[in-house]
Amino acid sequence: MNVQAITDPGGDLLWTSGALPGSVHDIAAARIWQIPAHLRQARLTALGDKGYTGLDEHVVVVPWKRHNKPELKKAYNRLHARLPAPGKRAFAQLKT
C-alpha cells in the first residue's frame, strides 16, 4: 500500500492521503494527490527522499544522486539526511 503524508518539522501529521496500491511509485502517488500544487498554494517546501526526484524541485527538496559528487553536494546530502527524522517517526506511528 502507498500512503503519502505531510508532517510538520516536529513530526506531527498534517495530512495523509488515501491508500493506493503498493505498485504505485511515490512520485506518481504525489502527482495523483496533487501534493506539489497544494504545497505551492500553501507556500511550503517539503523534504523528500530520492523517490521524489523530478517531482517539482521548487517545492520538494531531494538529495543529490550519483557517485563522485563534489564536496558541496555531499555536504548538502548530509544536511538533508539529518532533517527528515521527525517525518520518518510520524510514518512509523502510522504503521503501528
Side-chain angles (χ1 to χ4, degrees), residues 63-82:
W64 288 94
K65 289 185 176 184
R66 311 231 170 141
H67 298 288
N68 303 321
K69 292 180 278 300
E71 187 54 41
L72 183 62
K73 291 182 181 181
K74 288 179 184 179
Y76 170 91
N77 281 0
R78 285 191 296 272
L79 178 60
H80 187 282
R82 285 186 219 139

Side-chain angles (χ1 to χ4, degrees), residues 18-42:
L20 294 170
S23 60
V24 176
H25 193 277
D26 286 341
I27 197 169
R31 287 180 177 142
I32 289 168
W33 298 111
Q34 301 176 6
I35 291 173
H38 292 296
L39 290 170
R40 207 175 306 104
Q41 182 180 7

